[in-house]
Amino acid sequence: MTYVGLSQVIVKNLSTGTRVVLKSHYGYEIDEVKIMGRDRYLVAHTSETLLLGDLGSNRLSEVAWQGSGGNEKFFFENETVCMVFNAGELTLVEYGNNEILGSVRTEFMNPHLISVRLNERRQRGVDDNKKLAYLIDIKTIAIVDLAGGYNLGTVSHDSKIDWLELNETGRKLLFRDKKLRLNLFDIESGIKTTVLSFCSYVQWVPGSDVVVAQNRGNLCVWYNIDSPERVTMFPLRGDVVDLERTNGKTEVIVTEGVNTVSYTLDEGLIEFGTAIDDGDYHRATAFLETLEMCAETEAMWKTLSKLSLEARQLHIAERCFAALGDASKARFLNETNKIADSISKECGGDGTEHYQVKARLAMLDKNYKLAEMYYLEQNAIDEVMEMYQELHMWDDCIAVAEAKGHPELDNLRRSYYSWLMETNQNEKAGEVKESEGDYMGAVNLYLKAGLPAKAAWLAMSRDELLASSDVINRITAALIKGEFYERAGDLFEKIKNNQRALDCYRKGSAFRKAVELARVAFPSEVVKLEEAWGDYLVQQKQMDAAINHYIESGCSSKAVEAAIGARQWKKALHIVELQEDRSSAKYYLKIAQHYASIQEFEVAERLFVKGDHIKDAIDMYTQAGRWEQAHKLAVKCMTQDEVSSLYISRAYELEKEGKYKEAERLFVTVSEPDLAITMYKKNRMYDDTIRLVARHHKDLLQETHIHLAKELEVEGRFQEAEYHYIEGQDWKAAVNMYGTNDMWEEAYRVSKGHGPASAHKQVAYLWAKNLGGEAAVKLLNKFGLLEMAIDFSAENRSFDFAFELARLSMKEKIPQIHLKNAMFLEDEGKFNEAEVEFIKAGKPKEAVMMYIHIQDWSGAQRVAEAHDPDSMADVLVGQAKSCFEQKDFQKAEAFLLRAQRPELAIKYYKDAEMWSDAMRICKEYLPNKLGLLQEEYEKEAAKKGKRGVEGMVEQAREWEQSGEYARAVDCYLKVKDSSNAALLEKCWMKAAELSIKFLSREKAIDVVQTVGPRLVQLRKYSAAAELYLNLDLIKEAVDAFIEGEEWNKAKRVAKELDPRLEGYVDQCYKEHLKNQGKVDSLVGVDVMAALDMYVERGQWEKCIDTASKQNFKVLHKYIALYATHLIKEGEAEKVLSLYAQHGAPANPQNFNIYKRLFLELMSLHDRDSAEAYRMWADLRDFLHLLCENLTKSSEANSPAHEDFEQMLVISHYYATRSAAKGIDQLSALAAKLSISLLRHTEFIPADKAFYEAGLVAKAVGWENMAFIFLNRFLDLADGIDEGTLDALDHTDFQDTDIPFEVPLPSKLHISVEKREEIRDWVLTVSMDQRVEQVLPRDERDTYEASLVAANTGIRSLPCIITGYPVLRSKIDFKRPGMAANKDDWNKFLMATKTTHSPECQDVLKFIAHWCGGLPSAGYSFQ
């Protein structure tokens, strides 16, 4: 390669000398040039383009290309196009073209899965033929027209595709799948055909559409691929490896073993296909004339005939039909050719374009309308009519004559009719008569033609024929004779002869029409007809259709049998289960057997059981291998022994058949797992044996593993035995097995893998011991265990092996082995031999100690003097110890002093409790340890209890008498005897006195602070306090008195000596009273604390009673707490009585309590009766008092004040309603009050308000309002269930003062049963349509209970008695804004006077108080 410039390179082929100039047309710099693909193709990159070239044809391409890092893959299998793969995209570049030919997405880069054909064989009418076939996925092929840029088709296959190739013209696609099936796809028709199975080789013959393939031992050749069923086959012995076509000869190369054989194909047949493709039909004809007629030749003649006709080469087509033996077509074409030739001679030009020729060709193609069109275009009417007459197509002929107004039209019709009669075409003649309006003649001809049905149709359509009984009789007689019963029935029905119509329908099995007629005319016959219909359908084997008819006729048994016959088992089962009698139970068996056959065992079992065929159900389960289900059933109808016997015998049979798993299931099902275990063990199936033991005898699992392991060991199956030993957690047995059989490596492996940390070392040791000598040393060195092995041998008394190892490898270990040997001999009692070994080991002292141990003093002294003089002291000590044991204290003391061990003498004296001798020796030889010895003595005395205490006291007195006051004090303090409190007090007081008298103040304070708490524990509070006071410890003295609950003494001491402590004493006294629960006493000390204690204890009555004796503020603080508690407990009525008793202060802190109280009372159930008056009156009076207090406070006219005023109005309405409910004549007032309360649903639970309003409206007969209110209640109830009121429809309450936005109640006010009663009433009313869903209106054209006028917005005052708006006739009260409707007021006054109701009197009394007095004409309470 020679770089002429940055964008130009000369590439020279050294073998051929040819040169190619590679140049970027865009002037980009060429980065690199690669020679690829058998040194024929060039690939070069620039920054923006890709250059590709074919050195053979000297064609170069440069296409735009974005750099991809050199990751492209190039394929050069096709000589005209380069395939470039990059990142899942296939790009095709045609050599010599600077545009990308095409680009598609595919993941399959194998060239065998991509086929490209670019103008390889020219075709007529096709200038640019460029096709691509590739895989979209492994089962889908896409075919693309690269020239047009569109998709030609997609082939979806059911298996993976491993090869595909287009033919050279791109019209056919061959592909093969993984199952070696060869398929052909015709791209134009979209038809896919499987042409060969077991295809191992396939190829298109170059330059033709011939296909060569191999199928096992056959060579298959398709010379005409348009007829894929026409295949030529040759037997083969080898495999096809190649296909060669050179010098007009095509050969298939086959390898047969080591030989290569060629099979020559019929070049003539190949040439025929080529000639066809080239459009050279003369050459194709000449070639075919040389061939003998056979299947392949016949197919080629047919192809040529078709193509030649399409190409208007009529002489060739004539020859083809002659060759095929189609004389008629050949003669017709011969005549056509003569016409064309004569026209060509007369007029010149192409005679095939003449209308006569074109019309004849259309006739040949049976396209007579097209032929007619050609004739009529030339106005050759006679020729068209002649054509139709020759073809006996008289209708078309007459149609043309009619259309063109031909003068011979009537003659034609007569000729047509005559011809029909001559040829006995009576039916056609009848149709002619019918078309002419001669219906009687038509009927006669139809009957003559033996077509009574057609005559019947005509008669039914013409009233004049129906009127003729003769015609009808003749037609019906012919119909019945011809057994056209259904048509006869239609005709009879048309003339209203229902009985004969029904008979004919029945005879003709036209049951649908018979049933329809019977339903109208003969209802009693319907059931019989339905049964007969079913029988007919069964005869026709239409079982499924018969079922419903049997059901309709009430023939259940037949319906079941039909359903079974139709294999509609579900329907059969449904019918059987609907039958109440036992007769249908016999069908359960058949149905159950079906469900058993399709393995729906549960259904089958149910049916077997229903039909009392439990045994069959058991057999079904046993045959299906479902032994558990079979067992459940068997238990129901067999004894346990019978079940067990059945299952065990069956299991033994299965065992003989080798079906061990099935046998196991049977054994287990009858609770005989041991038999299954025995079976597996007998058949040496140890894994299954273990599995069953683990499941059924877990406690025997390890034992079983060991047992199996031993058996396997005996059989020499060591690996299996090892597994079971390990599973049995006896790894030692596995090691022992391998060791016994000299398999030490396996033993070592097992011990290392399964034993504890040091186990493998022991095995290595045993292995080495088994080897002995140098081999043992090498092995132990290999494992790094040599020293350990020597030590281990010595420890385990294998001294010979230890000495052997030490001598060979570690001589420095020999003394240690001697020492261990000596110790072993000592243990064995061989003292003389042990002495020798100790000395050899360099340990003479050990020999001395040995003799001391056995009290052989002479031997010990001898060895010590000879070998270790330093050990003499040990000998003397040993002798001394022996003397102490023999109570020879003086001799023992002498030995120890001689050995210079006085401390041992002291120890021995202490052990013997000879403290005086111990102290004597200590004073004389170890005076510095005397104090420690004294302390030890004191501790020992303390341990000895009373006797020790007495000794301790005695010792303290001795210290006191000797002037050792500090020691005396310590000794007194150490006295502890819980059984003698007096002694303890005396000793501790003595210690305190001595410390105060003789010791420093600091020491005295320490002692007193030690003694004081002790005295307090002894309940000697005064004594403790006096000690504290002696040292001016005032606080401690006070605490002592407090501890003793001597409060007066504590108060006096604090007052006289430290007044600052008085408050402390008082606080402690309060805490004491609190802790003791003496609340009544605490009241006199700290009333607030006492009240808090009452609250904590829940003693609310005492708390309130005590608080009431305090100021108003304290009282209402605790009333608020009590009220909060009661509200939480759901005792709202108690809260009301509490505030009614103690008043309602206008404290903002209490507002939430008041509101909560109001809401709780509003939510109470069953409070809408006259009996609830007292509660509502109390609530009204409480709220009235509260509002009066608010008016006088800073909260006057605040939002809270307004809320409470609203609550007062609501409670007044409730109280007034309760009073009115006790009097029948005031029921309308009670209803109005309930309705008025609806405008206050922001305070009252909405569902409760509408429920109560609806009920009272219903009770007084106001059904419109009752319906609307109760309907609203149901909507609210549904909203409560759903948790939202967003879906409420407010249409009914538009232009009213009933609020839309109300709080969502937490739960429904009434029970679900009552709600359903309301729902039923509302539905009943709505269905009856006796009410209008409209609220009543008044003179304002506004809802009568609304305070606000809909049109003007003017707000009226509410009536003090009913809550309804006060409009015209009203009564005013002294308090502004208070009024009443005169009628309602007078009605209430009259009822109160006549009934003397105390509740109504109370209402009037409240109104007088609330409204500033009653009107002058009002009611008197006196």
Side-chain angles (χ1 to χ4, degrees):
M1 284 181 284
T2 306
Y3 282 83
V4 178
L6 293 176
S7 62
Q8 189 169 345
V9 181
I10 297 174
V11 182
K12 183 178 181 181
N13 189 330
L14 297 176
S15 61
T16 61
T18 57
R19 297 199 320 165
V20 174
V21 178
L22 188 62
K23 178 182 179 181
S24 172
H25 297 291
Y26 305 103
Y28 294 124
E29 180 181 350
I30 297 174
D31 294 336
E32 60 175 340
V33 180
K34 295 179 182 177
I35 310 297
M36 306 175 74
R38 300 184 300 279
D39 294 339
R40 176 175 172 176
Y41 300 98
L42 288 173
V43 177
H45 287 85
T46 71
S47 59
E48 299 292 334
T49 61
L50 175 69
L51 289 90
L52 299 165
D54 179 4
L55 294 176
S57 62
N58 201 16
R59 288 182 297 172
L60 302 176
S61 300
E62 182 176 13
V63 295
W65 194 262
Q66 292 298 320
S68 56
N71 294 323
E72 304 94 343
K73 292 186 178 179
F74 298 91
F75 291 90
F76 302 100
E77 276 72 8
N78 195 306
E79 294 184 356
T80 58
V81 66
C82 177
M83 291 185 284
V84 186
F85 278 98
N86 183 34
E89 188 168 349
L90 168 65
T91 302
L92 302 176
V93 181
E94 185 178 5
Y95 298 119
N97 192 333
N98 291 333
E99 296 291 335
I100 290 176
L101 182 60
S103 182
V104 293
R105 297 287 302 176
T106 181
E107 297 296 328
F108 304 95
M109 298 188 292
N110 189 335
H112 293 302
L113 299 176
I114 299 166
S115 178
V116 186
R117 295 292 190 182
L118 304 184
N119 296 322
E120 295 189 25
R121 271 183 26 224
R122 292 291 177 182
Q123 302 175 74
R124 288 195 319 280
V126 180
D127 296 327
D128 202 8
N129 184 23
K130 298 179 180 180
K131 305 284 177 59
L132 164 69
Y134 68 97
L135 287 186
I136 297 174
D137 58 54
I138 198 63
K139 294 182 180 180
T140 309
I141 304 169
I143 305 160
V144 178
D145 188 316
L146 296 172
Y150 56 86
N151 192 17
L152 288 170
T154 302
V155 186
S156 296
H157 196 52
D158 57 357
S159 296
K160 295 180 180 179
I161 297 165
D162 67 355
W163 179 89
L164 62 86
E165 189 171 9
L166 290 165
N167 71 339
E168 292 172 348
T169 60
R171 293 189 299 108
K172 306 279 187 183
L173 171 70
L174 279 175
F175 65 92
R176 186 182 68 177
D177 59 27
K178 289 288 185 182
K179 296 180 180 178
L180 300 182
R181 293 178 300 187
L182 181 63
N183 298 274
L184 174 70
F185 181 73
D186 188 309
I187 296 169
E188 291 178 3
S189 65
I191 296 172
K192 181 176 73 171
T193 309
T194 301
V195 297
L196 192 65
S197 298
F198 306 106
C199 175
S200 57
Y201 175 89
V202 61
Q203 189 65 52
W204 291 101
V205 173
S208 72
D209 286 341
V210 177
V211 176
V212 174
Q214 182 176 359
N215 166 21
R216 291 182 173 171
N218 294 309
L219 175 65
C220 305
V221 183
W222 286 266
Y223 289 107
N224 184 8
I225 198 62
D226 288 323
S227 301
E229 72 282 359
R230 308 284 189 178
V231 57
T232 303
M233 303 181 76
F234 306 99
L236 284 181
R237 295 182 184 175
D239 296 319
V240 177
V241 294
D242 200 3
L243 183 67
E244 294 181 356
R245 190 175 193 203
T246 54
N247 302 323
K249 187 177 181 183
T250 304
E251 292 183 327
V252 180
I253 310 301
V254 181
T255 59
E256 297 181 355
V258 296
N259 300 321
T260 300
V261 181
S262 64
Y263 290 79
T264 303
L265 301 184
D266 190 327
E267 192 63 28
L269 294 177
I270 296 173
E271 277 298 325
F272 170 76
T274 308
I276 290 294
D277 288 334
D278 294 343
D280 191 350
Y281 300 138
H282 290 285
R283 181 155 62 95
T285 305
F287 162 69
L288 288 178
E289 287 177 342
T290 64
L291 301 179
E292 293 183 5
M293 184 60 73
C294 62
E296 291 85 355
T297 311
E298 184 179 344
M300 286 186 277
W301 277 115
K302 285 181 181 178
T303 301
L304 183 57
S305 68
K306 180 183 174 184
L307 294 172
S308 59
L309 273 177
E310 290 173 0
R312 298 277 179 90
Q313 297 193 20
L314 304 183
H315 291 285
I316 295 174
E318 179 186 347
R319 176 69 185 92
C320 292
F321 286 120
L324 290 168
D326 193 340
S328 59
K329 284 185 179 179
R331 185 174 68 252
F332 186 80
L333 279 172
N334 180 261
E335 294 171 359
T336 305
N337 282 327
K338 287 178 181 178
I339 294 170
D341 291 342
S342 65
I343 291 169
S344 181
K345 286 178 183 178
E346 292 173 7
C347 306
D350 187 0
T352 58
E353 292 298 322
H354 192 267
Y355 78 91
Q356 287 185 338
V357 175
K358 289 162 73 174
R360 288 179 68 84
L361 290 177
M363 289 165 63
L364 183 64
D365 197 30
K366 293 184 171 55
N367 192 342
Y368 303 115
K369 287 296 178 185
L370 180 62
E372 177 187 328
M373 183 190 75
Y374 286 139
Y375 282 128
L376 291 179
E377 282 177 353
Q378 303 298 322
N379 202 28
I381 299 170
D382 291 334
E383 293 183 48
V384 176
M385 293 170 64
E386 183 182 352
M387 171 187 78
Y388 280 134
Q389 287 178 42
E390 284 182 6
L391 294 168
H392 297 294
M393 296 171 69
W394 290 94
D395 293 329
D396 294 296
C397 180
I398 292 169
V400 171
E402 285 178 346
K404 296 299 181 179
H406 199 277
E408 294 294 322
L409 178 59
D410 292 335
N411 291 332
L412 273 174
R413 284 177 175 157
R414 283 194 294 273
S415 300
Y416 181 30
Y417 182 73
S418 300
W419 177 74
L420 289 174
M421 296 305 293
E422 289 170 6
T423 56
N424 289 323
Q425 296 186 50
N426 295 314
E427 178 186 4
K428 199 70 179 173
E431 290 173 357
V432 171
K433 285 290 185 183
E434 186 178 346
S435 66
E436 292 175 352
D438 186 0
Y439 302 116
M440 188 64 74
V443 167
N444 291 330
L445 286 169
Y446 287 147
L447 291 174
K448 185 178 179 183
L451 298 171
K454 201 161 187 177
W457 276 119
L458 180 57
M460 284 190 287
S461 65
R462 308 303 304 178
D463 292 337
E464 61 269 26
L465 295 177
L466 288 173
S468 174
S469 58
D470 177 57
V471 172
I472 298 302
N473 290 334
R474 285 196 298 124
I475 294 173
T476 52
L479 287 169
I480 292 170
K481 184 179 180 182
E483 296 185 355
F484 296 111
Y485 297 111
E486 183 178 356
R487 194 64 62 240
D490 291 339
L491 192 54
F492 280 127
E493 187 177 356
K494 191 77 174 176
I495 62 173
K496 306 301 182 183
N497 191 342
N498 293 331
Q499 184 60 56
R500 292 205 64 188
L502 184 64
D503 294 340
C504 287
Y505 284 145
R506 188 183 277 119
K507 285 183 180 179
S509 301
F511 290 102
R512 178 172 282 102
K513 292 181 179 180
V515 168
E516 289 173 0
L517 177 60
R519 283 199 176 105
V520 176
F522 312 103
S524 60
E525 296 292 317
V526 173
V527 172
K528 295 178 183 178
L529 283 170
E530 288 284 1
E531 182 179 359
W533 195 352
D535 294 338
Y536 169 73
L537 290 171
V538 168
Q539 289 174 3
Q540 300 298 314
K541 305 301 182 185
Q542 297 181 32
M543 305 291 187
D544 51 347
I547 300 169
N548 290 331
H549 297 293
Y550 282 134
I551 292 172
E552 290 289 332
S553 66
C555 298
S556 302
S557 298
K558 288 186 176 182
V560 175
E561 289 173 0
I564 292 171
R567 304 190 65 79
Q568 295 206 10
W569 303 100
K570 290 184 179 178
K571 188 173 284 189
L573 177 58
H574 179 69
I575 297 167
V576 170
E577 288 181 336
L578 289 175
Q579 303 310 308
E580 295 181 359
D581 59 337
R582 297 294 297 169
S583 62
S584 57
K586 60 185 178 180
Y587 299 112
Y588 279 120
L589 178 61
K590 284 186 180 180
I591 301 172
Q593 287 170 345
H594 161 72
Y595 280 108
S597 68
I598 61 173
Q599 299 186 355
E600 289 192 24
F601 299 117
E602 291 77 7
V603 180
E605 176 195 335
R606 179 170 62 84
L607 298 176
F608 278 130
V609 172
K610 269 193 173 182
D612 294 328
H613 296 285
I614 299 177
K615 282 272 189 183
D616 293 295
I618 296 170
D619 292 341
M620 169 190 74
Y621 278 130
T622 54
Q623 289 169 12
R626 293 195 168 196
W627 298 100
E628 292 82 357
Q629 291 93 327
H631 182 253
K632 286 179 184 176
L633 275 177
V635 167
K636 294 179 183 177
C637 65
M638 301 168 69
T639 66
Q640 187 60 43
D641 291 340
E642 288 174 339
V643 173
S644 298
S645 175
L646 170 67
Y647 273 57
I648 291 170
S649 61
R650 177 61 180 149
Y652 282 136
E653 292 173 11
L654 291 170
E655 181 185 353
K656 290 177 183 176
E657 295 171 10
K659 297 179 179 178
Y660 301 114
K661 290 290 181 187
E662 290 81 352
E664 174 199 329
R665 286 176 63 189
L666 295 190
F667 283 133
V668 171
T669 302
V670 294
S671 303
E672 291 288 350
D674 292 345
L675 294 176
I677 293 168
T678 305
M679 170 187 75
Y680 282 129
K681 187 178 174 187
K682 182 173 68 177
N683 290 282
R684 300 181 178 278
M685 298 171 72
Y686 296 128
D687 290 344
D688 292 297
T689 304
I690 291 298
R691 174 174 56 78
L692 288 181
V693 170
R695 185 184 302 166
H696 300 285
H697 300 293
K698 207 165 188 177
D699 54 324
L700 300 175
L701 184 58
Q702 287 191 14
E703 183 181 332
T704 305
H705 274 299
I706 300 299
H707 177 73
L708 292 177
K710 288 177 179 177
E711 286 191 7
L712 291 165
E713 182 181 351
V714 170
E715 295 172 11
R717 295 159 66 179
F718 300 122
Q719 290 287 345
E720 297 173 55
E722 174 199 330
Y723 167 76
H724 289 289
Y725 277 132
I726 299 302
E727 290 296 316
Q729 299 182 2
D730 191 359
W731 63 273
K732 290 183 179 178
V735 170
N736 185 52
M737 170 186 73
Y738 283 128
T740 305
N741 291 278
D742 284 334
M743 298 170 71
W744 289 101
E745 288 187 21
E746 298 297 328
Y748 182 78
R749 174 182 58 76
V750 171
S751 63
K752 192 164 187 178
H754 301 282
S758 60
H760 68 284
K761 297 178 182 179
Q762 297 177 14
V763 174
Y765 166 76
L766 292 172
W767 188 357
K769 193 172 182 182
N770 185 58
L771 293 171
E774 291 286 346
V777 172
K778 287 180 180 177
L779 179 69
L780 292 169
N781 271 327
K782 174 183 174 184
F783 294 127
L785 299 174
L786 180 59
E787 186 173 355
M788 185 279 295
I790 294 171
D791 294 340
F792 187 76
S793 298
E795 291 290 340
N796 284 275
R797 301 174 182 177
S798 298
F799 297 108
D800 293 339
F801 185 52
F803 279 125
E804 181 183 5
L805 292 175
R807 279 195 297 272
L808 290 171
S809 57
M810 300 181 75
K811 290 186 171 58
E812 66 273 13
K813 299 286 284 183
I814 292 177
Q816 293 181 18
I817 301 169
H818 279 300
L819 176 61
K820 289 180 179 177
N821 193 14
M823 292 168 73
F824 168 67
L825 292 169
E826 178 186 353
D827 292 341
E828 293 291 311
K830 299 177 180 178
F831 303 114
N832 292 330
E833 297 174 36
E835 177 190 334
V836 174
E837 290 296 316
F838 276 129
I839 292 169
K840 283 183 179 180
K843 301 285 185 180
K845 187 172 182 177
E846 298 295 329
V848 172
M849 297 307 292
M850 175 185 70
Y851 282 125
I852 291 171
H853 180 68
I854 63 174
Q855 299 186 358
D856 184 352
W857 308 113
S858 58
Q861 193 168 346
R862 173 173 55 76
V863 175
E865 289 173 350
H867 300 285
D868 189 12
D870 293 339
S871 299
M872 277 302 297
D874 294 330
V875 176
L876 293 171
V877 169
Q879 284 182 285
K881 185 177 179 182
S882 177
C883 291
F884 263 112
E885 290 170 356
Q886 296 168 13
K887 309 293 185 182
D888 190 351
F889 301 114
Q890 289 186 349
K891 196 172 181 180
E893 183 181 325
F895 279 129
L896 289 172
L897 293 176
R898 183 178 160 197
Q900 298 182 0
R901 300 293 295 277
E903 72 278 4
L904 276 179
I906 293 169
K907 179 181 180 302
Y908 288 142
Y909 278 131
K910 283 195 301 182
D911 294 344
E913 298 188 0
M914 299 170 69
W915 289 97
S916 57
D917 292 307
M919 288 190 177
R920 173 176 58 77
I921 297 292
C922 189
K923 280 182 180 178
E924 189 173 345
Y925 294 98
L926 296 168
N928 59 325
K929 294 186 178 181
L930 184 60
L932 292 172
L933 186 62
Q934 179 66 33
E935 288 179 8
E936 192 174 348
Y937 167 60
E938 290 171 359
K939 288 179 183 176
E940 194 65 29
K943 287 179 184 176
K944 290 181 180 176
K946 194 168 183 179
R947 189 166 58 82
V949 168
E950 291 171 359
M952 187 75 72
V953 173
E954 189 64 33
Q955 182 68 40
R957 286 175 182 159
E958 289 179 8
W959 290 122
E960 183 183 350
Q961 290 170 3
S962 62
E964 292 282 346
Y965 297 113
R967 288 190 174 181
V969 167
D970 291 341
C971 210
Y972 277 128
L973 288 175
K974 289 175 181 175
V975 173
K976 292 179 182 176
D977 184 3
S978 57
S979 64
N980 193 344
L983 176 65
L984 290 176
E985 182 184 1
K986 183 179 178 182
C987 290
W988 294 343
M989 289 297 290
K990 189 71 175 176
E993 289 172 11
L994 291 175
S995 66
I996 293 169
K997 285 182 181 179
F998 301 107
L999 302 182
S1000 65
R1001 178 174 172 78
E1002 290 78 10
K1003 180 66 176 173
I1005 288 172
D1006 288 342
V1007 172
V1008 169
Q1009 287 180 336
T1010 302
V1011 171
R1014 292 184 180 181
L1015 291 172
V1016 168
Q1017 286 182 349
L1018 293 176
R1019 301 181 181 276
K1020 304 296 181 182
Y1021 305 110
S1022 297
E1026 287 174 13
L1027 285 178
Y1028 286 133
L1029 291 172
N1030 283 333
L1031 292 174
D1032 296 329
L1033 299 172
I1034 310 303
K1035 172 75 165 53
E1036 286 78 358
V1038 167
D1039 286 339
F1041 283 129
I1042 288 172
E1043 186 73 25
E1045 297 184 10
E1046 298 183 24
W1047 299 100
N1048 293 329
K1049 289 182 180 181
K1051 188 81 171 176
R1052 189 172 70 249
V1053 168
K1055 186 175 182 181
E1056 293 175 359
L1057 300 177
D1058 191 349
R1060 292 175 299 175
L1061 294 173
E1062 284 189 80
Y1064 170 69
V1065 174
D1066 288 341
Q1067 184 62 36
C1068 289
Y1069 184 44
K1070 291 178 186 177
E1071 292 295 328
H1072 167 71
L1073 289 175
K1074 282 185 181 180
N1075 294 335
Q1076 295 296 315
K1078 298 176 180 178
V1079 189
D1080 298 334
S1081 301
L1082 185 59
V1083 170
V1085 180
D1086 187 347
V1087 69
M1088 297 305 290
L1091 290 171
D1092 290 339
M1093 280 198 68
Y1094 280 134
V1095 170
E1096 288 176 11
R1097 293 180 168 197
Q1099 295 174 307
W1100 292 101
E1101 288 79 7
K1102 280 192 174 184
C1103 176
I1104 300 302
D1105 183 53
T1106 305
S1108 65
K1109 297 172 185 176
Q1110 310 304 312
N1111 58 48
F1112 185 78
K1113 187 175 180 181
V1114 170
L1115 171 62
H1116 276 281
K1117 171 188 172 185
Y1118 287 97
I1119 285 176
L1121 289 172
Y1122 187 23
T1124 304
H1125 168 73
L1126 288 173
I1127 287 171
K1128 287 181 180 176
E1129 295 294 321
E1131 299 284 351
E1133 292 184 72
K1134 285 188 179 179
V1135 179
L1136 178 60
S1137 63
L1138 188 67
Y1139 277 114
Q1141 179 183 351
H1142 296 285
N1147 294 335
Q1149 305 95 292
N1150 287 8
F1151 287 174
N1152 281 337
I1153 295 174
Y1154 298 155
K1155 289 180 180 178
R1156 182 71 185 277
L1157 167 62
F1158 178 82
L1159 295 174
E1160 289 292 325
L1161 290 172
M1162 286 296 121
S1163 299
L1164 292 176
H1165 295 271
D1166 302 324
R1167 294 296 191 278
D1168 58 346
S1169 61
E1171 290 76 14
Y1173 174 77
R1174 193 67 260 156
M1175 186 197 82
W1176 295 118
D1178 288 345
L1179 177 61
R1180 175 197 66 198
D1181 296 342
F1182 157 70
L1183 289 169
H1184 181 237
L1185 176 61
L1186 173 61
C1187 290
E1188 288 183 338
N1189 291 340
L1190 283 167
T1191 306
K1192 301 169 188 174
S1193 72
S1194 59
E1195 293 290 324
N1197 299 320
S1198 66
H1201 186 183
E1202 293 175 3
D1203 286 347
F1204 288 123
E1205 289 286 358
Q1206 286 287 319
M1207 294 178 191
L1208 172 57
V1209 171
I1210 293 167
S1211 58
H1212 166 63
Y1213 287 167
Y1214 267 107
T1216 307
R1217 187 182 73 175
S1218 290
K1221 282 204 170 187
I1223 301 171
D1224 292 339
Q1225 63 222 58
L1226 294 180
S1227 58
L1229 264 68
K1232 286 185 176 182
L1233 283 164
S1234 293
I1235 292 167
S1236 297
L1237 284 167
L1238 293 177
R1239 75 172 70 98
H1240 298 290
T1241 46
E1242 67 270 25
F1243 293 103
I1244 309 170
D1247 62 321
K1248 173 186 177 184
F1250 279 98
Y1251 173 70
E1252 292 176 349
L1255 286 187
V1256 295
K1258 179 184 170 191
V1260 297
W1262 300 346
E1263 288 204 344
N1264 279 11
M1265 285 198 283
F1267 176 77
I1268 292 171
F1269 295 153
L1270 291 175
N1271 197 33
R1272 180 69 159 190
F1273 160 72
L1274 292 175
D1275 292 342
L1276 286 164
D1278 294 338
I1280 292 168
D1281 291 343
E1282 295 168 5
T1284 177
L1285 298 179
D1286 294 343
L1288 280 183
D1289 180 11
H1290 307 297
T1291 308
D1292 292 336
F1293 303 100
Q1294 296 291 339
D1295 300 327
T1296 71
D1297 56 358
I1298 297 173
F1300 297 163
E1301 301 295 332
V1302 296
L1304 174 68
S1306 59
K1307 61 180 181 180
L1308 195 61
H1309 179 70
I1310 64 168
S1311 66
V1312 176
E1313 292 78 11
K1314 287 185 178 179
R1315 177 176 71 176
E1316 293 309 313
E1317 288 177 14
I1318 298 299
R1319 195 185 300 279
D1320 293 342
W1321 183 83
V1322 169
L1323 287 173
T1324 303
V1325 171
S1326 64
M1327 293 294 286
D1328 292 348
Q1329 297 182 348
R1330 66 171 183 263
V1331 299
E1332 295 181 15
Q1333 195 167 344
V1334 179
L1335 292 171
R1337 294 178 174 269
D1338 57 15
E1339 61 209 43
R1340 301 171 297 167
D1341 194 25
T1342 300
Y1343 165 49
E1344 65 178 21
S1346 178
L1347 298 181
V1348 181
N1351 299 324
T1352 63
I1354 296 173
R1355 183 178 184 87
S1356 302
L1357 291 174
C1359 175
I1360 202 74
I1361 287 296
T1362 63
Y1364 265 49
V1366 178
L1367 298 177
R1368 284 179 301 179
S1369 178
K1370 67 178 181 176
I1371 295 176
D1372 290 312
F1373 293 84
K1374 292 180 182 179
R1375 182 177 173 184
M1378 296 296 188
N1381 283 313
K1382 190 173 183 179
D1383 292 342
D1384 294 329
W1385 176 257
N1386 290 336
K1387 189 181 291 185
F1388 190 80
L1389 284 179
M1390 183 60 65
T1392 306
K1393 287 178 181 179
T1394 56
T1395 61
H1396 303 287
S1397 165
E1399 288 84 3
C1400 292
Q1401 292 174 8
D1402 186 59
V1403 169
L1404 290 173
K1405 188 185 291 185
F1406 171 75
I1407 291 173
H1409 183 51
W1410 185 29
C1411 301
L1414 295 175
S1416 56
Y1419 175 75
S1420 172
F1421 302 113
Q1422 300 304 323

